[in-house]
Amino acid sequence: MNLDFRPAGGALAELNLLQVSIADTIGHVRLNRPEKRNAVNDTLVLQLRSALELMPSAVKAIVLSGEGSHFCAGLDLSELSERSVAEGILHSRQWHAVMDSIQFGRVPVVVVLHGAVVGGGLEIASACHIRVAEASAYYGLPEGQRGIFVGGGGSARVPRLAGVATMTDMMLCGRVLDAAEGHQRGLSQYLVADGAGFAKACELAGRIAGNAPLSNFAVMQALPRIADLSQSDGLFVESLMAAIAQGDDAAKQRVRAFLEKRAGKVEKSQ
Ligand code: 1HE
């Protein structure tokens, strides 16, 4: 997919630890601190939230990636040393707010993973909706070795992807999963060759951007919440969401297009 990404202007251009560009309905946010392996300091985590919030309304899907040889080395450990307990809680809650702004934001985020996806880097990845891993990607939670615990939502999100046992192994034993193991355990939905991740992510973002906005909204907002409910409550919420989505004009037009043979069929991927 050949998209003409152009650097974003205005307030988005001022986010100095990110590179933000836009091509039509797709926004691209790149972590841009390669000299520190995209380690996430307080400024970077807040800029990430700002980038999502400031995206123009024409943007319907976002691709997130990392500059340099690694996606993200996790929390910037140089900022950790002098925090009190209370400051530690607030810091973690700030990460939670930013990760929620990814997961429950306005548009879906497709993340491209390469090299180290560790600690807070894995927490960011697990807050995104679609994970495309390149062969070089590897996953670790070195918090166990650093004497700390995950604080950016990892304990809630990583087990939902890969299971409590895998996360326990990663934290207690320092187990590092390569791209193939991570894929097998559910950390990525797509596994591609090195260098192919961005194009794949753009292709997927293009498809997502072409969906009816209310369908994307339902998938982002309702699906993870239904998964946390009892089956009975979840099914009731599903009925509400289904009725809201199908009542929308976009749904009516799309269903009519299919019935009038103007819309694509469901076909096997190549
Ligand atoms: C950093 C960080 C960092 C690199 N905080 N400065 N995360 C970790 O425990 C992972 C720590 N990082 C690493 O294991 C390695 O850096 C990598 C495997 C990611 C990359 O290795 P490499 O050889 O390519 O780079 P490097 O030489 O280790 O690092 C380059 C520079 O980035 C160097 O700084 P310099 O001034 O000496 O050039 C490193 O110090 C710096 N750097 N990673 C600070 N993480 C919300 S809670 C989440 C909790 C966590 O994420 S804990 C896990 C933290």
Side-chain angles (χ1 to χ4, degrees):
M1 191 170 193
N2 223 351
L3 289 163
D4 184 16
F5 279 96
R6 291 163 192 265
L12 283 168
E14 285 164 26
L15 304 173
N16 65 324
L17 298 181
L18 301 172
Q19 263 175 14
V20 184
S21 53
I22 296 171
D24 194 19
T25 56
I26 302 177
H28 178 206
V29 178
R30 195 194 290 271
L31 308 178
N32 192 25
R33 214 186 164 211
E35 70 288 356
K36 295 290 180 190
R37 307 309 185 251
N38 298 321
V40 183
N41 59 16
D42 288 352
T43 306
L44 179 48
V45 78
L46 292 175
Q47 287 192 3
L48 196 49
R49 176 165 64 186
S50 299
L52 302 184
E53 287 173 357
L54 291 167
M55 265 310 159
S57 57
V59 166
K60 305 293 183 209
I62 290 171
V63 174
L64 175 66
S65 67
E67 178 65 28
S69 47
H70 300 280
F71 170 66
C72 178
L75 181 71
D76 187 325
L77 294 169
S78 69
E79 289 188 349
L80 193 73
S81 46
E82 300 302 329
R83 270 190 209 118
S84 67
V85 170
E87 286 166 344
I89 294 171
L90 288 174
H91 178 260
S92 169
R93 296 300 292 158
Q94 185 174 66
W95 268 69
H96 290 167
V98 177
M99 297 307 111
D100 274 3
S101 78
I102 298 174
Q103 184 177 2
F104 299 111
R106 187 178 61 81
V107 297
V109 179
V110 182
V111 66
V112 184
L113 305 173
H114 75 291
V117 183
V118 301
L122 181 53
E123 295 183 298
I124 292 172
S126 60
C128 296
H129 304 91
I130 300 291
R131 284 162 292 280
V132 177
E134 295 193 347
S136 67
Y138 64 92
Y139 308 92
L141 289 169
E143 284 87 340
Q145 283 67 57
R146 309 274 180 247
I148 54 178
F149 189 61
V150 285
S155 63
R157 292 194 178 90
V158 175
R160 283 180 165 80
L161 300 175
V164 173
T166 293
M167 181 157 173
T168 302
D169 192 13
M170 292 169 83
M171 291 201 69
L172 283 184
C173 308
R175 174 97 173 248
V176 173
L177 303 177
D178 66 20
E181 288 171 318
H183 187 69
Q184 195 201 348
R185 287 162 195 256
L187 290 178
S188 59
Q189 291 108 321
Y190 295 85
L191 181 57
V192 300
D194 286 336
F198 183 66
K200 183 68 186 175
C202 288
E203 177 207 324
L204 297 169
R207 270 194 241 169
I208 291 168
N211 294 338
L214 203 49
S215 289
N216 284 350
F217 176 88
V219 172
M220 288 175 69
Q221 308 292 334
L223 204 53
R225 292 186 166 98
I226 290 171
D228 286 342
L229 294 174
S230 67
Q231 180 159 322
S232 166
D233 291 341
L235 291 177
F236 184 69
V237 174
E238 179 188 271
S239 300
L240 298 178
M241 196 65 247
I244 292 168
Q246 77 196 26
D248 195 51
D249 274 354
K252 294 197 171 93
Q253 284 167 21
R254 283 162 188 255
V255 171
R256 205 175 307 124
F258 174 76
L259 295 174
E260 292 169 1
K261 316 256 182 259
R262 291 184 284 109
K265 297 185 185 184
V266 178
E267 290 179 296
K268 272 196 222 167
S269 51
Q270 306 301 320

